[in-house]
Amino acid sequence: MLKQLLLGLILALPLVLSTAKVSGAQPACRIDRSYDIALPGHPQGISVTADGTLFVALNATKPSEENGIAVLACHARHYELKRVFQLEHQPNVLALTHDGKMLVVPDDNFIAFIDTRKLRSGTGQPLLGFIEDIPGDDGGAVYATVSPDDRQALVAEEGAGTITVIDLQRVRAGKFDRAVIGADILVGSAPVTLAYAKDGKYVFATVQRALPGKNWEATCNPQSGSATDPKERPGAVVTLDASRLVTDKDGAIVSYVPAGCHPVRAALSPDDSRLWVSARASNKVFSFSTDDLRGNAANPQSVQVLVGPAPVPIIVTASGKHVLVGNSNRFNAAPSSQTPIDVIDAKTGQVAMHLRSGEFPRQFAISPDGSTIFVSNYGSDSISLLDARSL
């Protein structure tokens, strides 16, 4: 009898271990409805940890608001604001390292590095250190991304027109000086989005106005100033060879492709086959084959989708079937408090439905299991949580 009991326990052990492993892989917080959460400032970028914790960059425009990184945790299928770690200047679209240990925060004049463990717990000093991206000047650091191997971070300097390449190995070793910057690559006026291909071999970037040397016809209306101001050059999608960012920065650009007027955000499909780009001043979304962008076509062509006013944030669902774009309506004198999100059918390239969000949607993020989409509503000081399964 004892022998049979021990044999039964031994046979059952792999099942127990397997069940525990599967259980641990389940999403920590799967919402059962869509809802909004108010925040004490204007939210910009959102990063999501493996267990679903949210880090949200907040900008303050008045004394009653806070500048810094908000931490939101989930309990009983509902997110709650836990704390705000204050940072000066203007934190923008932050990036989480793939090991989950550090946030890279483009903070206008600076690039900050934050310990996520201390940020989550609220104990100790989360700020590991920072560097001034362009000494004595405002580079306009607006967007960060991290290489798949966590060895490099890239930061888009909107004011300087460059991409800053940062050695994260030196940062992890406690170095916070100019030596952590491997290169500054000139790509065009007002770069914004940076996206690594999953294999880490290429980087896709958006620039709102192409380099003067491209000699493209000025066909775009400026989005600030008078309507009589001179026309501007179109923007571009810039594809860079990641292996040459530091060793050959002048030769790192693989292709430079027109992408409408003021392209600002971009998102890769789950299989990396297409890059979807929001062109704010064209009221369009452009879709490019990444194979073409990597230099395998002499003149890469795009699929163009007409969407709502001044689209900014864009994301592809985990299934790859839908593309969500937030119409910011940014330059309307009286923006609606309920700005629609257009949902594009990725196969047909047509707008299939509309969702609601707050005012001026700024950035999307998606939960690790793909079930929840997060939207930062800059104009209404909130984030929206959308049940992606309803699509």
Side-chain angles (χ1 to χ4, degrees):
M1 178 65 72
L2 179 59
K3 183 178 180 180
Q4 290 176 332
L5 180 60
L6 289 173
L7 180 61
L9 288 172
I10 292 170
L11 291 174
L13 184 58
L15 179 61
V16 171
L17 293 175
S18 176
T19 304
K21 184 177 179 181
V22 172
S23 176
Q26 296 304 307
C29 188
R30 176 173 287 178
I31 65 170
D32 51 16
R33 61 181 179 84
S34 298
Y35 59 94
D36 292 351
I37 299 175
L39 295 173
H42 298 326
Q44 285 256 35
I46 306 174
S47 285
V48 190
T49 67
D51 68 353
T53 300
L54 303 183
F55 301 126
V56 183
L58 295 182
N59 295 171
T61 59
K62 52 190 176 183
S64 61
E65 296 177 337
E66 295 188 70
N67 234 38
I69 308 299
V71 180
L72 292 91
C74 183
H75 177 70
R77 294 181 178 266
H78 192 85
Y79 276 91
E80 298 176 350
L81 175 64
K82 293 299 183 183
R83 66 189 59 85
V84 176
F85 173 65
Q86 292 191 333
L87 281 177
E88 295 297 330
H89 292 272
Q90 189 179 37
N92 286 285
V93 180
L94 35 75
L96 181 68
T97 55
H98 296 87
D99 64 9
K101 295 181 179 180
M102 183 168 62
L103 276 176
V104 180
V105 183
D107 195 12
D108 201 16
N109 297 43
F110 302 93
I111 302 166
F113 306 92
I114 294 177
D115 182 319
T116 57
R117 181 182 61 83
K118 292 180 179 178
L119 182 63
R120 293 171 65 154
S121 67
T123 58
Q125 171 56 267
L127 183 62
L128 295 168
F130 60 89
I131 58 172
E132 193 173 9
D133 42 8
I134 300 177
D137 198 1
D138 179 6
V142 295
Y143 199 107
T145 192
V146 175
S147 61
D149 61 6
D150 275 349
R151 295 173 68 89
Q152 287 183 330
L154 306 182
V155 175
E157 308 283 358
E158 190 174 28
T162 58
I163 296 172
T164 298
V165 184
I166 297 170
D167 184 343
L168 286 183
Q169 292 179 293
R170 288 185 64 87
V171 170
R172 290 179 189 276
K175 308 294 185 182
F176 301 100
D177 52 32
R178 297 292 297 170
V180 306
I181 297 178
D184 288 301
I185 302 171
L186 182 66
V187 289
S189 180
V192 183
T193 294
L194 300 165
Y196 268 98
K198 286 187 176 62
D199 61 10
K201 294 181 178 180
Y202 293 91
V203 178
F204 304 100
T206 60
V207 295
Q208 295 186 54
R209 289 179 298 281
L211 289 166
K214 295 301 174 182
N215 294 320
W216 294 349
E217 183 181 358
T219 57
C220 298
N221 292 321
Q223 292 208 305
S224 60
S226 169
T228 60
D229 285 347
K231 299 275 191 179
E232 299 176 342
R233 292 183 303 278
V237 169
V238 184
T239 304
L240 302 104
D241 182 338
S243 68
R244 301 169 75 177
L245 293 176
V246 175
T247 59
D248 182 21
K249 68 176 185 177
D250 293 331
I253 295 178
V254 173
S255 65
Y256 207 97
V257 179
C261 299
H262 288 261
V264 284
R265 297 287 200 270
L268 284 161
S269 59
D271 62 1
D272 270 8
S273 65
R274 300 202 70 82
L275 184 75
W276 296 82
V277 180
S278 60
R280 191 178 61 205
S282 295
N283 297 335
K284 288 181 179 179
V285 166
F286 288 69
S287 175
F288 296 92
S289 162
T290 53
D291 191 50
D292 289 350
L293 293 175
R294 288 190 295 262
N296 296 328
N299 184 25
Q301 299 297 306
S302 64
V303 175
Q304 300 180 27
V305 185
L306 185 65
V307 293
V312 174
I314 192 165
I315 198 169
V316 186
T317 57
S319 67
K321 294 181 179 179
H322 298 96
V323 181
L324 276 65
V325 58
N327 301 310
S328 75
N329 203 22
R330 181 174 182 176
F331 300 99
N332 190 326
S336 168
S337 61
Q338 292 292 311
T339 309
I341 294 170
D342 288 335
V343 181
I344 300 168
D345 184 313
K347 184 176 182 179
T348 65
Q350 301 294 318
V351 176
M353 63 186 295
H354 307 280
L355 302 175
R356 308 304 292 179
S357 74
E359 183 180 327
F360 191 175
R362 198 71 179 256
Q363 188 71 16
F364 285 114
I366 193 165
S367 63
D369 69 332
S371 67
T372 305
I373 294 173
F374 308 96
V375 191
S376 61
N377 302 313
Y378 186 87
S380 51
D381 292 1
S382 67
I383 60 170
S384 296
L385 288 79
L386 309 176
D387 186 347
R389 294 165 295 178
S390 65
L391 300 177

